[in-house]
Amino acid sequence: MRFETKAIHYGRSIDKSTSSVTMPIHLSTTFERAADGSYPNEFVYSRENNPNRQALEDCLTSLEDGYDCVTFASGMAAITSAIEALPSDKPRRVIMPNDMYFGIRSLLSETDIDAKFDIVIVDMTDLQEVEEAIKSAPTGLVWMETPSNPLLKVADIEAVAKLAQESGAYTVVDNTWATPVLQRPLTLGVDLSIHSVTKYLGGHSDLMIGAVVAKSDSPMLTNLRAWQHSKGAVPSPFDCWLALRGVQSLAPRMMTHCANATEVADFLKAHPNVEAVHYPGLSGHPGHHIAARQMSSFGSMLSFQVKGGQREAMAVAAKVQLFTRATSLGGTHSFLEHRASVEGSTTMAPPNLLRVSIGLEHVDDLKEDLSQALE
């Protein structure tokens, strides 16, 4: 099946008891054993598995062209598990990009993850720097985020994956911003593709789930499944049901998201009060050619720097009327946010930067709102 068909059909079947086309929500926490002690439907207890979760995992596996999928209660639970699931026979050294989701920076600074692992930060867009970091000491995991948050940096997935594999390290790509509609890390040689399903896969800002899709069976996957079951950070049946509903429209939504973002990026680039626009779809973006090679389109996330400083950027954010001033991304609404003030003193975001998630509104309305805010 092609992507759009898999998004609608994988993980789903007609309900045998009622013939309903839409899968019911299975709220039961426990499942009956047969007289001989077996579990005829392979469901035992909902922390271990649930029909809605199984359906979602099957669907996401197919969309990423993977081997298996493990879902968690949030994107951060998936991220944490993917780091901690590094097998014990692998070095505790983890290479990460210098531009990455602030939640990971908080994970490193506010929990014991940083103490348990040797975290090395590099410019993931500089292959020479990446290679030197990998070869300088035994490495267990190489983490990519592309396009990155919030500066939209683009890493060469295939090249970095090859360097990591030659050293025996696992590779991970946070594929949340691109989604499997635009980018398939596993087919480029990566071991694990991570998603905050909360964002584009769910698509409506009404659920919270994280997912890790594995390219093949491995000790890493075994640990992830054990972490899910034993540590218990599992998504609810209703959130899984919502995510599976959202995934059905993922492909057409992403096409509209991307088309809108391209127009908005071009508009912002030409505006006299905008200092810089970070969007890989622009020909002048440093990662444009790599993104064009490994992505089918350039996504709907962008950031731009307002001429002046934080005061001027905050003034633009205060004046928008159609954009919603809110954290998160990937929903039907367009969001705009001043990242530096959200992230605090440790932020890597420039003080005049606004991050934008382009939604599904009419693009002319979005441009008109930005135009009046920038005046």
Side-chain angles (χ1 to χ4, degrees):
M1 296 181 190
R2 291 165 178 80
F3 187 95
E4 293 82 355
T5 308
K6 290 195 292 185
I8 293 171
H9 288 275
Y10 257 76
R12 304 166 181 84
S13 61
I14 302 300
D15 182 56
K16 294 180 180 179
S17 62
T18 64
S19 298
S20 63
V21 174
T22 299
M23 186 180 191
I25 303 171
H26 295 272
L27 297 176
S28 181
T29 56
T30 191
F31 301 85
E32 185 183 30
R33 301 176 74 167
D36 62 1
S38 65
Y39 290 93
N41 293 305
E42 300 183 357
F43 294 106
V44 178
Y45 187 65
S46 61
R47 175 164 51 82
E48 181 174 313
N49 207 352
N50 165 277
N52 299 108
R53 189 163 87 233
Q54 183 65 63
L56 177 61
E57 291 179 351
D58 289 347
C59 184
L60 297 184
T61 298
S62 73
L63 297 185
E64 281 276 19
D65 297 324
Y67 172 81
D68 197 8
C69 173
V70 186
T71 53
F72 295 90
S74 68
M76 281 308 304
I79 287 169
T80 305
S81 297
I83 297 172
E84 292 188 325
L86 188 64
S88 58
D89 63 345
K90 290 289 185 181
R92 302 289 89 187
R93 190 165 183 264
V94 179
I95 296 176
M96 288 188 157
N98 59 3
D99 189 50
M100 60 182 171
Y101 172 46
F102 185 73
I104 301 180
R105 295 186 183 278
S106 299
L107 177 71
L108 299 179
S109 64
E110 298 175 8
T111 75
D112 63 349
I113 290 288
D114 194 35
K116 293 192 296 185
F117 295 88
D118 177 18
I119 306 297
V120 179
I121 304 298
V122 302
D123 181 353
M124 201 61 67
T125 67
D126 185 335
L127 281 177
Q128 183 176 347
E129 184 176 336
V130 174
E131 183 175 12
E132 290 174 355
I134 291 174
K135 291 182 176 180
S136 64
T139 299
L141 184 66
V142 178
W143 192 283
M144 287 174 269
E145 183 178 308
T146 181
S148 68
N149 183 1
L151 293 176
L152 284 295
K153 291 186 174 183
V154 176
D156 189 327
I157 295 174
E158 192 169 21
V160 173
K162 184 178 179 182
L163 290 171
Q165 288 162 0
E166 289 172 351
S167 72
Y170 283 101
T171 49
V172 175
V173 166
D174 187 329
N175 203 31
T176 298
W177 280 20
T179 82
V181 176
L182 310 181
Q183 183 170 269
R184 310 279 176 82
L186 304 185
T187 65
L188 295 173
V190 170
D191 297 298
L192 301 172
S193 180
I194 287 186
H195 291 276
S196 173
V197 181
T198 308
K199 311 305 194 297
Y200 291 102
L201 298 183
H204 296 79
S205 305
D206 57 7
L207 62 93
M208 187 165 288
I209 298 179
V212 184
V213 185
K215 178 178 66 175
S216 60
D217 196 5
S218 69
M220 191 89 159
L221 175 60
T222 299
N223 287 348
L224 282 165
R225 189 62 74 184
W227 263 235
Q228 182 199 52
H229 176 230
S230 298
K231 294 192 175 184
V234 295
S236 73
F238 184 45
D239 277 355
C240 291
W241 185 91
L242 285 171
L244 201 62
R245 179 203 63 177
V247 163
Q248 295 178 81
S249 62
L250 177 61
R253 281 191 287 108
M254 287 307 296
M255 293 303 98
T256 301
H257 279 303
C258 292
N260 283 355
T262 298
E263 283 201 42
V264 170
D266 287 337
F267 162 79
L268 289 170
K269 183 182 177 183
H271 199 284
N273 291 333
V274 173
E275 178 182 296
V277 181
H278 306 283
Y279 183 64
L282 295 172
S283 60
H285 186 281
H288 174 73
H289 295 295
I290 296 173
R293 186 176 72 239
Q294 67 190 22
M295 301 175 71
S296 61
S297 190
F298 300 102
S300 74
M301 293 299 300
L302 60 87
S303 59
F304 67 98
Q305 293 174 246
V306 180
K307 283 187 177 178
Q310 179 164 327
R311 180 179 177 180
E312 287 77 11
M314 292 293 285
V316 171
K319 288 177 65 179
V320 293
Q321 299 173 4
L322 184 60
F323 282 81
T324 301
R325 292 179 294 274
T327 296
S328 198
L329 52 103
T332 57
H333 292 67
S334 290
F335 295 150
L336 180 146
E337 185 171 48
H338 183 259
R339 289 303 301 170
S341 60
V342 171
E343 297 174 3
S345 60
T346 61
T347 185
M348 299 292 288
N352 63 339
L353 182 138
L354 296 173
R355 190 189 73 181
V356 181
S357 171
I358 300 297
L360 302 180
E361 301 95 341
H362 195 287
V363 69
D364 288 342
D365 292 328
L366 297 177
K367 290 189 292 185
E368 287 170 7
D369 190 26
L370 289 170
S371 179
Q372 65 83 24
L374 283 161
E375 293 304 320

